[in-house]
Amino acid sequence: MSEHRRKPPQPQGGGRAAARRAAQPSGRRAAHDRAAPAAPAPHGEERAYGSRAEARRAAQRGGSRRRGPETAAVGGGRRAGSGGAPGKKRLIDYPRHNKYGWRRLVPSWKLVAGLCIGFLGMLTVAAAIAYSMVVIPKEAEAATAQNNVYYWADGTQMAATGGEINRQIVGIDQIPRAMQHAVISAENKTFEKDSGIDPMGIARALFNMAKGQDTQGGSTITQQYVKNARLEDQNQTLSRKFQELFISIKIDSEMDKPAIMQGYLNTSYYGRGAYGIQAAARTYYNKDAEKLNPSECAFLATLLKGATYYDPAGVTEIDARASADANRDRAEKRWRWILDEMVKDGHLKAEERAKYTEFPNPEKPKKNAQLSGQIGYLVDLAKSNFINNHEGMTATKLAQGGYEIHTTFDKKKVYALEASIKDIYKKHIDPKGRPKTDTHVQFGGASVEPGTGKIVAIYGGADATKHFTNNADATGAQVGSTFKPFVLAAAMRDGVRDPRLGSEQGSDTRRIVDPDKSRYNGANKLKIKNYDGSIWRNEEGKEWLQRNDGDESFKNISLREAMIHSANSPFVQLGMDIGIPQVREAAIDAGLLETSLVKANVPSFSLGISDPSAIRMAGAYGTFAANGKQRDPYSVTSVEHKGQTIYKHEDEVETAFTKAVATNVTDVLRDVVDDEEGTGKNARLPGRQVAGKTGTTDDNKSAWFVGYTPQLSTAIDMYRLDDDEKSGKKREFLKMYGTGDRDTIHGSSFPSEIWQTYMSKALKNAKIIEFDEPEELDAEAVWGGGAVSPKPTPSSTPSSSPSESPSSKPSKGPSKSPGPSESCNPWEDWTCEPTGGANGGTDQGGDSGGITTSPTTSPTTDTGGGNGNGGGNGGGFIGGSDGTEQ
């Protein structure tokens, strides 16, 4: 017998004794057991076995049955410290039968592969079932859309926008190949060979989205066609997306590619109410679609990205970011990119592409005849309000029609505002007689209820069908000194910084400013400083010397007086002492949009170099009228669709300022109108209390008056804007010297006159209501801009009792004034820089920055900081957007 077939040696004493020994544990315990005398097996213990095979099976069974801690590892039993024991192999071998410890929990590759195959199989079956059950919806129910009806505040019909769906279906043979190629290159390069969906495109879109890049390629043309023409539900839900995918696959299998392309281009929205390529060609280029050249096709393909943001005319009524300049820039870049992609994809020859270097400017928008006058502006404003405040609503969806939109517009007030502006224009503006000064003159206006935020009237321009920019909305016109009340509000709410402390200051280290007790330097060409006394310099290292209107200088004056005279220097330095970020925050809290405010923290920020809309300015002043309660202006109260109310305005109120701050701002602005020297005196309403402020910007390019009564806040602006050219050049604001046959145009002229005429009509039968009395402010007397609080003249022998009558003897001589070294008190003029002297001072005070807060017993004394002449003559940059103001 060969060696490998030889049986292993058998233990001594075979038979049942060997079987018993095989069944017993090994090791020391086994030896001990062998040494112990045998005893009869009790009932239930192991019996003797007759063969070695039977003994082995018994040992295996015992190893699997015995789990006690005294059991040692035998054969396939538990190993000490192994963490587990193999079990019997099953159909799904998990945990694995032949592994120990954590390895039992690691699935085998067979198990993983099987699960994946099973999962994919189930998905395939589910997809097959879904595909077989999906029903392709009927096409283009939007083509039979109803009118949208707009209502005045009194419930009467204002406009029914019939014909808003502008569509004409054309065949694929009437759609230029260039148009088809343009959308393929821009939207879906695999269109001609994909199956309705593009998995790689979806993956690419998700990847680009994760990186914050363009998501081009996420949806195929087939999917977009399905979404445009076949689905009622346009909400971006997961179920709707799956529905779109299955319908796209089915449509691709049942329709040929030209038919899908035809459907897509005939149902897509191109803006301006135009659905379909034929309507778009007519709307933008006044020609049939088949006559479009590749350059025009590339532009129309650009609009498919989103007409709101690519229409060069601008759509600011939908979104302030969709201005004419921004839209043209976006459209031109994408137009150029699409042409280049067409060359890259072999759809356009390079020599043909070289012909199209000039952007194909489309025609200006045309409005429905019934939207002429102010109606078109009102409709656009209501559209914007509804779209921006109702989740899921889009311009495309709204254009499908069937909505009843109830607005806040008061018919009588709208026509009263229009009549007041037209009357001024007719009497004073003569573009034919004075073409150099009276051309391109425009007005804008808005009227808002302070207690509700309702926009009751706007003036958007001469005619919505001829002038397309809504002048009540954002126009780019700077607001000038009408911004100063926000600076004053910040001074009374946030306070000025203490120059003796660090820049990181909490509210407990700031000083709240009293508008009457405080004094600021009103010198012309005042050298502006940072709050800590250091000279402010621009990025070129130049100083800022602030000018007043007409280069007029004022003595150290209170902030109330500075507001009445609209002096620039005090408010510029006050803004620096408060901190421009705090001034900006106060304006935003009042109701201005952050996007409309200049981002730079420059001194002139406090003089209104920003360009909020008339609507927002009226609303923000309304916050003061409402004692500090801020509400965003709105124009839609409710919307109904198919008999259901789908939108209703909800009142949202924020406390922007305390009542004390708001009533004190109002009290100061009342003096701007009531004081005989106030710049707003032309806005007085006999028998009514009025608060307001004038504003004029640098080089006389815009003029404003914003004012309010307790019931109504109104903003009026005027400017010259050359935006009539079709060439697409940048819009340019023109100077108004000589306009209306007046040397200069200020807020105190035409804007305040219009305001007064309109408000007289608007409030004709309204109840007379007075403003609340100004509440006490926990404020201090602050001396800023180099203004130094005067010291009481000490008496050599103080009187024991007050004199009952004036002294019969005049004083022998003037009180001795402290010398320069004595007057440099760090607690009062902390910079310790001389503010007077032969060469450096002004007769209105020095130009040191920073603040002082020492009280004085002689508040009537308003002395300057020195006796020199020309206190800002140290050279430097003379800046400020508000160089003139009345």
Side-chain angles (χ1 to χ4, degrees):
M1 182 179 294
S2 64
E3 187 71 21
H4 70 277
R5 295 296 299 274
R6 184 177 300 160
K7 293 182 179 180
Q10 298 297 322
Q12 296 293 325
R16 284 193 293 273
R20 283 196 299 272
R21 285 195 297 272
Q24 291 173 349
S26 60
R28 296 179 182 176
R29 179 67 180 269
H32 177 269
D33 290 344
R34 283 195 300 272
H43 177 72
E45 289 192 7
E46 296 182 20
R47 62 180 178 83
Y49 299 96
S51 68
R52 286 191 297 273
E54 189 175 0
R56 285 195 298 273
R57 286 194 296 272
Q60 291 171 355
R61 284 196 302 271
S64 62
R65 288 173 182 171
R66 287 194 292 269
R67 299 297 183 199
E70 74 283 353
T71 307
V74 178
R78 181 185 300 270
R79 293 183 180 180
S82 67
K88 187 177 179 180
K89 187 173 183 180
R90 292 158 294 182
L91 178 63
I92 299 178
D93 188 22
Y94 190 82
R96 298 171 71 179
H97 78 288
N98 59 346
K99 300 294 181 182
Y100 297 92
W102 61 269
R103 292 179 178 84
R104 298 185 68 212
L105 302 178
V106 179
S108 67
W109 68 269
K110 293 179 181 179
L111 180 61
V112 173
L115 289 174
C116 289
I117 292 172
F119 179 71
L120 291 175
M122 286 189 293
L123 281 182
T124 302
V125 172
I129 294 172
Y131 179 81
S132 64
M133 294 178 64
V134 72
V135 177
I136 300 177
K138 294 180 180 179
E139 183 180 80
E141 290 190 14
T144 60
Q146 307 171 53
N147 294 338
N148 286 324
V149 183
Y150 295 82
Y151 296 92
W152 293 102
D154 63 4
T156 59
Q157 183 171 311
M158 180 173 71
T161 55
E164 204 170 356
I165 294 294
N166 176 14
R167 188 200 308 277
Q168 181 182 348
I169 304 298
V170 293
I172 192 67
D173 56 330
Q174 295 175 272
I175 301 174
R177 289 291 295 171
M179 186 67 203
Q180 300 175 49
H181 289 150
V183 297
I184 289 173
S185 291
E187 304 288 337
N188 180 199
K189 293 179 182 294
T190 63
F191 168 72
E192 294 176 332
K193 57 185 178 182
D194 63 34
S195 59
I197 63 172
D198 180 13
M200 290 300 295
I202 295 172
R204 182 173 60 252
L206 293 173
F207 180 70
N208 288 341
M209 188 186 302
K211 295 197 305 180
Q213 296 179 359
D214 192 352
T215 59
Q216 188 270 333
S219 294
T220 64
I221 287 174
T222 307
Q223 286 176 262
Q224 293 178 59
Y225 165 59
V226 168
K227 185 181 74 169
N228 293 342
R230 305 283 182 153
L231 293 178
E232 286 285 339
D233 182 12
Q234 296 293 313
N235 295 325
Q236 293 294 326
T237 61
L238 191 60
S239 61
R240 207 276 302 159
K241 200 67 178 174
F242 272 114
Q243 185 184 17
E244 176 190 302
L245 288 172
F246 286 118
I247 294 174
S248 298
I249 295 171
K250 197 158 193 174
I251 279 184
D252 189 79
S253 67
E254 297 183 8
M255 294 176 63
D256 57 26
K257 293 294 186 180
I260 294 173
M261 177 63 74
Q262 174 185 311
Y264 172 62
L265 293 177
N266 276 324
T267 57
S268 294
Y269 185 58
Y270 296 80
R272 301 189 189 180
Y275 277 82
I277 184 61
Q278 174 67 5
R282 282 287 184 184
T283 299
Y284 288 93
Y285 293 110
N286 196 27
K287 62 172 69 173
D288 290 329
E290 59 186 350
K291 296 181 180 179
L292 294 169
N293 64 41
S295 178
E296 293 164 340
C297 289
F299 166 70
L300 294 180
T302 292
L303 295 172
L304 297 176
K305 180 77 171 175
T308 298
Y309 301 100
Y310 289 89
D311 183 349
V315 197
T316 52
E317 66 270 12
I318 299 297
D319 192 330
R321 296 171 296 177
S323 65
D325 290 342
N327 277 15
R328 180 185 168 85
D329 183 61
R330 280 189 286 261
E332 192 166 347
K333 287 177 180 177
R334 187 163 176 82
W335 161 78
R336 192 175 291 111
W337 174 79
I338 290 176
L339 288 175
D340 292 340
E341 289 296 302
M342 291 172 69
V343 174
K344 187 187 301 182
D345 297 336
H347 297 317
L348 184 67
K349 293 181 179 180
E351 52 269 26
E352 177 79 1
R353 164 68 181 91
K355 296 178 184 178
Y356 305 119
T357 57
E358 294 294 326
F359 182 71
N361 286 308
E363 295 189 356
K364 291 202 169 185
K366 298 180 179 65
K367 288 189 181 286
N368 191 311
Q370 69 162 320
L371 299 179
S372 62
Q374 298 306 302
I375 301 299
Y377 301 123
L378 298 172
V379 166
D380 285 344
L381 187 60
K383 279 184 186 180
S384 171
N385 183 253
F386 179 39
I387 291 171
N388 291 331
N389 289 283
H390 183 52
E391 187 176 357
M393 181 53 58
T394 64
T396 304
K397 192 172 182 179
L398 181 61
Q400 293 173 4
Y403 297 90
E404 295 183 10
I405 301 169
H406 298 267
T407 75
T408 61
F409 304 129
D410 186 310
K411 185 190 303 183
K412 293 181 179 179
K413 289 182 174 65
V414 168
Y415 290 133
L417 180 56
E418 182 181 34
S420 298
I421 292 175
K422 283 186 173 181
D423 185 59
I424 288 290
Y425 195 96
K426 183 178 179 180
K427 288 180 179 178
H428 300 283
I429 308 302
D430 185 8
K432 293 182 179 179
R434 294 186 293 269
K436 293 184 178 180
T437 60
D438 286 17
T439 53
H440 307 298
V441 174
Q442 298 186 30
F443 293 92
S447 204
V448 176
E449 285 185 359
T452 64
K454 292 180 179 178
I455 305 172
V456 297
I458 64 167
Y459 180 82
D463 190 331
T465 63
K466 299 174 183 177
H467 173 76
F468 309 109
T469 300
N470 186 346
N471 292 348
D473 213 331
T475 62
Q478 296 179 354
V479 296
S481 287
T482 56
F483 196 83
K484 289 175 182 174
F486 306 122
V487 184
L488 181 61
M492 292 192 288
R493 184 186 72 173
D494 303 314
V496 293
R497 293 171 287 185
D498 189 334
R500 293 165 297 185
L501 302 175
S503 60
E504 297 296 329
Q505 302 177 54
S507 58
D508 57 334
T509 60
R510 285 177 170 261
R511 288 180 169 82
I512 302 302
V513 177
D514 186 289
D516 294 306
K517 298 176 183 177
S518 301
R519 293 291 187 274
Y520 263 77
N521 193 339
N524 186 50
K525 298 183 181 179
L526 178 72
K527 185 182 296 183
I528 300 303
K529 297 195 175 185
N530 296 306
Y531 85 95
D532 61 2
S534 61
I535 296 174
W536 186 90
R537 299 179 187 275
N538 66 8
E539 61 276 7
E540 298 176 358
K542 296 180 179 179
E543 299 174 351
W544 187 282
L545 305 181
Q546 183 57 55
R547 300 181 65 173
N548 291 322
D549 176 36
D551 289 335
E552 182 179 5
S553 280
F554 299 90
K555 293 182 178 181
N556 298 335
I557 58 176
S558 70
L559 295 176
R560 182 184 296 272
E561 293 172 313
M563 190 74 79
I564 291 171
H565 296 285
S566 202
N568 294 331
S569 298
F571 282 98
V572 173
Q573 188 59 59
L574 176 63
M576 299 300 288
D577 294 343
I578 298 167
I580 300 302
Q582 282 71 29
V583 175
R584 182 182 291 105
E585 184 178 359
I588 293 170
D589 290 345
L592 300 187
L593 295 176
E594 185 175 6
T595 54
S596 70
L597 302 179
V598 170
K599 293 179 173 57
N601 295 331
V602 294
S604 58
F605 180 85
S606 298
L607 296 182
I609 59 174
S610 300
D611 54 5
S613 68
I615 292 172
R616 283 287 171 173
M617 286 297 289
Y621 271 52
T623 299
F624 299 130
N627 293 331
K629 302 296 183 183
Q630 189 270 330
R631 294 173 172 85
D632 281 342
Y634 72 99
S635 59
V636 175
T637 57
S638 64
V639 177
E640 297 173 10
H641 187 250
K642 297 181 179 180
Q644 299 290 325
T645 299
I646 63 170
Y647 170 77
K648 192 169 185 179
H649 174 77
E650 295 182 2
D651 188 29
E652 296 183 3
V653 187
E654 298 286 342
T655 300
F657 309 101
T658 63
K659 186 177 180 180
V661 170
T663 53
N664 274 276
V665 170
T666 295
D667 192 57
V668 171
L669 296 183
R670 283 185 60 194
D671 280 350
V672 174
V673 177
D674 293 341
D675 194 284
E676 284 303 319
E677 296 183 358
T679 59
K681 61 184 179 182
N682 287 341
R684 293 173 184 167
L685 298 175
R688 292 185 184 274
Q689 294 181 348
V690 173
K693 183 70 187 77
T694 55
T696 308
T697 58
D698 187 35
D699 270 340
N700 219 210
K701 290 182 178 179
S702 62
W704 289 71
F705 184 80
V706 187
Y708 55 94
T709 66
Q711 301 108 308
L712 203 57
S713 177
T714 300
I716 303 293
D717 63 331
M718 175 183 178
Y719 50 90
R720 292 180 66 207
L721 178 59
D722 183 4
D723 62 351
D724 291 341
E725 296 296 328
K726 186 181 175 182
S727 61
K729 71 176 185 179
K730 294 289 185 181
R731 301 157 74 242
E732 180 184 4
F733 285 91
L734 306 175
K735 299 175 183 180
M736 293 192 292
Y737 297 114
T739 298
D741 203 24
R742 299 192 181 184
D743 292 339
T744 58
I745 298 296
H746 296 91
S748 60
S749 57
F750 296 138
S752 63
E753 292 172 26
I754 292 170
W755 190 95
Q756 198 279 338
T757 304
Y758 160 69
M759 291 289 278
S760 296
K761 297 175 183 176
L763 298 173
K764 185 176 182 180
N765 298 316
K767 181 181 178 180
I768 294 178
I769 301 175
E770 295 185 349
F771 291 113
D772 289 349
E773 288 297 317
E775 293 189 353
E776 195 70 27
L777 278 170
D778 185 15
E780 302 180 35
V782 172
W783 294 70
V788 180
S789 59
K791 300 178 177 62
T793 303
S795 172
S796 56
T797 55
S799 173
S800 59
S801 63
S803 173
E804 296 182 0
S805 60
S807 173
S808 59
K809 295 182 181 180
S811 103
K812 295 181 180 179
S815 301
K816 180 182 178 182
S817 299
S821 61
E822 295 172 313
S823 66
C824 191
N825 184 346
W827 287 92
E828 191 157 276
D829 184 13
W830 56 270
T831 59
C832 274
E833 292 181 11
T835 59
N839 299 318
T842 71
D843 55 357
Q844 284 81 29
D847 62 7
S848 290
I851 59 171
T852 62
T853 55
S854 298
T856 173
T857 58
S858 303
T860 58
T861 306
D862 234 3
T863 62
N867 297 320
N869 296 318
N873 294 337
F877 179 68
I878 298 177
S881 118
D882 203 16
T884 60
E885 170 56 31
Q886 284 294 333

